Amino acid sequence: WQAVRDKMPGWEVVTSGGSTSHKKTDWSILDGLTVYIWPDNDEPGAKCASEISGILKRINAHASIIAPPTDKPKGLYFAYAF
């Protein structure tokens, strides 16, 4: 994730590790924070982002999902979007 951090100086970058591991992740550290979710550019990524958004809203985090670029390959993740 260093490539992502390099593109977003001053931002913290976290991952649950995959499109199904978010269900096993303790998201409580994000309680009350503003969180931007950048899903992978595929159906599993969109589903995961939606589920994470719901989890974050339940812990009072302010979650927004960023739509990945549509002109990039499916499955593309943030580090390669630019």
Side-chain angles (χ1 to χ4, degrees), residues 19-73:
S19 65
T20 59
S21 61
H22 65 282
K23 297 172 186 174
K24 303 174 196 166
T25 300
D26 178 5
W27 296 98
S28 64
I29 195 167
L30 301 175
D31 179 23
L33 298 179
T34 299
V35 178
Y36 297 95
I37 303 166
W38 186 304
D40 289 349
N41 189 24
D42 56 18
E43 186 57 38
K47 181 177 185 239
C48 176
S50 177
E51 291 176 4
I52 291 172
S53 178
I55 292 167
L56 294 175
K57 288 177 181 175
R58 286 191 294 278
I59 63 165
N60 297 316
H62 307 282
S64 297
I65 299 173
I66 299 171
T70 57
D71 63 335
K72 302 294 183 182

